[in-house]
Amino acid sequence: MKERHEAYDVAVIGGGMAGICAAVAAARCGARTVLIQDRPVLGGNASGEIRVHINGAQGLRGAHGLERETGILEEILLENRMRNPQESYSVWDHLLYEFVRREPNLVLHLNTTACAAEMDAGSIRAARCHQLTTETALVIGAKLFVDCSGDGLLAASAGAEFRMGREGRAEFDESFAPEQPDSWTMGASLTFISRDMGYPVPYEPPFFARPFDPAHSPKGRQLGGEGLRHGHWWIEVGSETDVIGDQEQIRDKLMGYLHGVWDHIKNSGRYPEAANLVLNWVGSVPGKRESRRFVGDYLLNQNDLLGYREFEDAVAFGGWPIDEHCPGGIESLGEPPAYFHHHFDKPYQIPFRCLYSKSVSNLLFAGRNASFTHIALSSARVMATCAVMGQAAGTAAALCAQSGRTPRELGAAGRVGELQERLLRDDAYIPHRPARDAADLARGAQLAASSTTSGAAALLTDGVARDEDGGCHHWESDGLPADVCLSWAEPQRIGCVEVKLDTNVHRPIQMSRHQSLRKQMAPGAPAELVRSLRVEAWLNGGWRGVGEADSIRTRRVRCAFPAVETDRVRIRFERAYGHPNARVFEVRAYAEGA
């Protein structure tokens, strides 16, 4: 067995959407970062191996509707819409690989499992890893560790306190919790995709198929309709004892139940519309919903979500319904497959104290293993919510590595603002927490626009980079090209201008097996997105171009240039991908240059 030692500022364990966003965030903040993934592809439950939709703050009621996540996750999803119009999961896997590999401060190790933590006085000194393909033991040293692996083997081996199963109702006064605590977790699922051959095709089930009789299943496990094409999420099995230790048995059961369901569809005679259908892709890796939940300085619970509690250290948000899957899954046919206990009217906050360990000083986590009660997790577990937690945890890890602070010290009252301001600048969204970056010179400028159809230029520095709670926080031009001018009473040293553009956060853009969801999406860039812009500075009595961006693919655009002394900067929005106007949510200016 070969052994290799590597050292980093930040080590991220787990290459799902939370881990990808954590690793990219840390690397972009200047931390030397490594991402450890135990599979040959990235994406976790969203990968081509499992193919679960990247859901998040969707299904909101009231004025919000869909409230899509921004930041690193949106960068990935927008790029996929532009480069993968065929919605191929194989192409998606490679796009995620490219997205990670092109970060200069980020090293990726695939097929590598973080097996055990080496400890030093209550902190992790190194992670002992095994790379299956090369038969190599990797010893990964780092200042900070971020466990985004879901099951959290590294964090557990470090002695981090965790919970499994359901809390009893009385512990947090959660009305949706069971009367008594137990060890049940939400289960894992296997799914399939079918294909219409154009002629009748018989189906012979494998010997391991488990018979499925829906006669006693209540409403919620429909076999017909769109599920004939893209599979059924309720082919799910949990565990009453140890969902991790029972995983091989759970996979075997799921494979049997999947083929048993398909056998019923094809051979029961009740679904003639399936006569021409064949299984075109069948999952072999179960998509997990819940296992270990690590304990931070705060456990987010049902009442925090329902009361839309505001936290001083809020760093992320959620909004998926409280969607608790029934114990046993498909083996509990007497219950509906999921209890949608509550739908939200607006996003709720997630505090930073849920993203670091109370018992291991240099350990953070993000995703379904973060510090939530079982009931709160039934909302926060979806991948877009996990991804924004990942960006927050990765950013925090980088700030800690650079300053020598622990996550708890970074999150202390009066200090957490540094993390929040960095997240907001990087296009994360924190409900009801406006940006107030003292280094942003645009906050002291007068803003004027060449034309306006809605909003106002002054709103571009109000600290809110989306229309929040029905309030207007944008400026929209009347036609293109159009200008926004920033002017100061005294000359300023300006070396960077940043804008946040419109990508229509009320439209879904994720990869999906569902035809009904895919019909709501359009290939390519959002029509509302500005395609090209130019930054000019008033120098020597005239406007001079200092920066530009073309073929824009992101909501946040940063134009850095050699710093100039000027009292006026003009941003010219030249054209959009399909809209006649430019809609902009934020403008920033900084002294640092290229």
Side-chain angles (χ1 to χ4, degrees):
M1 178 70 68
K2 295 166 288 196
E3 183 170 296
R4 188 167 74 246
H5 291 248
E6 298 177 0
Y8 300 90
D9 296 320
V10 175
V12 178
I13 312 302
M17 301 312 298
I20 290 172
C21 292
V24 170
R28 289 182 178 178
C29 286
R32 174 73 171 162
T33 306
V34 63
L35 177 60
I36 305 295
Q37 165 69 333
D38 61 358
R39 304 296 304 169
V41 295
L42 296 163
N45 281 347
S47 73
E49 291 187 315
I50 302 175
R51 307 191 184 190
V52 177
H53 320 304
I54 301 177
N55 289 322
Q58 294 159 298
L60 295 173
R61 295 180 174 177
H64 283 269
L66 174 68
E67 191 79 20
R68 205 175 66 229
E69 295 73 13
T70 51
I72 293 171
L73 174 66
E74 189 192 49
E75 285 185 44
I76 296 170
L77 297 180
L78 285 175
E79 186 164 344
N80 184 64
R81 297 236 62 80
M82 297 179 202
R83 296 177 58 191
N84 186 18
Q86 68 273 33
E87 299 201 54
S88 162
Y89 270 96
S90 297
V91 172
W92 162 253
D93 287 342
H94 285 227
L95 186 145
L96 293 176
Y97 173 80
E98 179 192 22
F99 194 88
V100 167
R101 284 292 309 275
R102 71 189 182 202
E103 286 294 330
N105 284 335
L106 181 53
V107 173
L108 172 65
H109 289 309
L110 295 173
N111 299 300
T112 303
T113 300
C115 304
E118 295 182 355
M119 303 299 293
D120 183 10
S123 65
I124 304 174
R125 180 178 63 249
R128 296 200 64 88
C129 308
H130 175 69
Q131 189 170 60
L132 179 66
T133 51
T134 63
E135 298 182 351
T136 299
L138 294 174
V139 182
I140 303 296
K143 299 175 183 177
L144 278 298
F145 290 82
V146 188
D147 195 326
C148 301
S149 65
D151 287 347
L153 174 58
L154 180 76
S157 73
E161 182 180 340
F162 66 87
R163 295 181 171 210
M164 291 181 72
R166 304 188 294 182
E167 288 83 5
R169 186 171 302 168
E171 183 175 3
F172 293 92
D173 192 26
E174 294 178 307
S175 61
F176 304 142
E179 282 286 350
Q180 299 298 324
D182 59 36
S183 56
W184 275 110
T185 60
M186 289 178 283
S189 292
L190 278 184
T191 189
F192 61 83
I193 296 174
S194 68
R195 177 183 174 189
D196 190 333
M197 298 293 289
Y199 55 85
V201 182
Y203 171 73
E204 180 181 345
F207 79 90
F208 57 80
R210 290 173 173 251
F212 175 73
D213 181 3
H216 303 292
S217 177
K219 185 178 180 181
R221 293 188 180 90
Q222 295 93 344
L223 288 163
E226 193 175 351
L228 293 176
R229 298 285 187 171
H230 58 65
H232 302 292
W233 57 265
W234 47 259
I235 301 176
E236 174 183 356
V237 173
S239 172
E240 191 178 7
T241 53
D242 181 359
V243 72
I244 295 174
D246 293 342
Q247 187 56 32
E248 289 295 297
Q249 179 185 3
I250 288 171
R251 185 213 51 233
D252 291 350
K253 285 183 175 182
L254 284 169
M255 292 176 68
Y257 282 123
L258 186 150
H259 284 278
V261 168
W262 191 249
D263 181 34
H264 180 82
I265 290 169
K266 290 287 291 184
N267 297 323
S268 68
R270 300 178 184 178
Y271 302 94
E273 65 271 30
N276 295 354
L277 298 182
V278 297
L279 291 174
N280 193 50
W281 173 85
V282 181
S284 297
V285 181
K288 289 186 180 181
R289 292 179 177 86
E290 181 182 11
S291 54
R292 295 186 182 100
R293 293 172 284 112
F294 290 91
V295 178
D297 277 348
Y298 190 76
L299 270 161
L300 199 70
N301 63 71
Q302 170 192 317
N303 296 310
D304 296 324
L305 275 55
L306 268 59
Y308 302 106
R309 180 177 175 185
E310 296 196 1
F311 296 91
E312 184 180 1
D313 62 335
V315 292
F317 74 99
W320 184 256
I322 295 182
D323 169 21
E324 185 192 21
H325 287 222
C326 79
I330 199 172
E331 296 185 328
S332 298
L333 291 181
E335 298 186 56
Y339 293 91
F340 281 84
H341 295 295
H342 182 83
H343 287 76
F344 294 99
D345 296 322
K346 58 184 179 180
Y348 58 79
Q349 293 182 346
I350 298 173
F352 180 51
R353 284 168 292 162
C354 292
L355 304 184
Y356 63 83
S357 173
K358 67 178 292 185
S359 50
V360 179
S361 63
N362 65 340
L363 172 65
L364 301 99
F365 27 72
R368 64 178 175 84
N369 63 357
S371 187
F372 305 107
T373 65
H374 166 84
I375 292 296
L377 180 72
S378 67
S379 168
R381 62 184 167 79
V382 291
M383 281 184 282
T385 306
C386 294
V388 296
M389 285 189 265
Q391 182 169 349
T395 302
L399 295 177
C400 288
Q402 292 159 0
S403 65
R405 289 174 288 183
T406 66
R408 179 177 287 120
E409 291 169 340
L410 177 67
R415 296 181 179 177
V416 74
E418 178 185 358
L419 171 59
Q420 293 169 325
E421 292 297 342
R422 181 60 195 247
L423 289 169
L424 292 168
R425 183 174 177 179
D426 291 343
D427 202 24
Y429 173 59
I430 305 173
H432 305 140
R433 204 300 190 174
R436 37 184 180 262
D437 186 355
D440 177 11
L441 299 172
R443 288 164 52 84
Q446 294 291 321
L447 278 75
S450 60
S451 65
T452 302
T453 58
S454 67
L459 295 172
L460 299 179
T461 56
D462 72 355
V464 182
R466 64 170 65 189
D467 289 342
E468 182 181 63
D469 288 348
C472 180
H473 298 279
H474 72 263
W475 160 78
E476 184 174 352
S477 70
D478 184 3
L480 289 170
D483 302 332
V484 168
C485 183
L486 292 77
S487 58
W488 294 266
E490 300 291 336
Q492 306 289 319
R493 179 178 174 84
I494 306 293
C496 177
V497 170
E498 300 175 5
V499 297
K500 304 242 173 71
L501 304 171
D502 185 14
T503 53
N504 192 344
V505 297
H506 299 288
R507 178 184 297 139
I509 60 172
Q510 72 266 46
M511 284 284 289
S512 177
R513 307 182 315 275
H514 288 227
Q515 291 298 324
S516 60
L517 186 57
R518 291 167 71 169
K519 288 177 182 178
Q520 301 176 43
M521 309 181 200
E528 300 87 351
L529 179 61
V530 168
R531 183 168 185 163
S532 60
L533 61 83
R534 178 179 172 86
V535 179
E536 300 171 328
W538 184 261
L539 299 168
N540 300 320
W543 290 108
R544 194 185 86 191
V546 293
E548 61 183 357
D550 196 12
S551 300
I552 292 168
R553 296 187 175 193
T554 56
R555 204 178 90 105
R556 174 182 180 255
V557 178
R558 181 177 188 268
C559 290
F561 43 86
V564 297
E565 294 283 339
T566 183
D567 64 355
R568 274 171 282 178
V569 168
R570 185 169 71 180
I571 308 167
R572 167 154 286 205
F573 302 94
E574 296 176 333
R575 56 181 176 147
Y577 279 93
H579 229 259
N581 303 329
R583 179 176 288 185
V584 185
F585 289 94
E586 185 175 82
V587 171
R588 294 179 180 229
Y590 292 93
E592 71 264 26

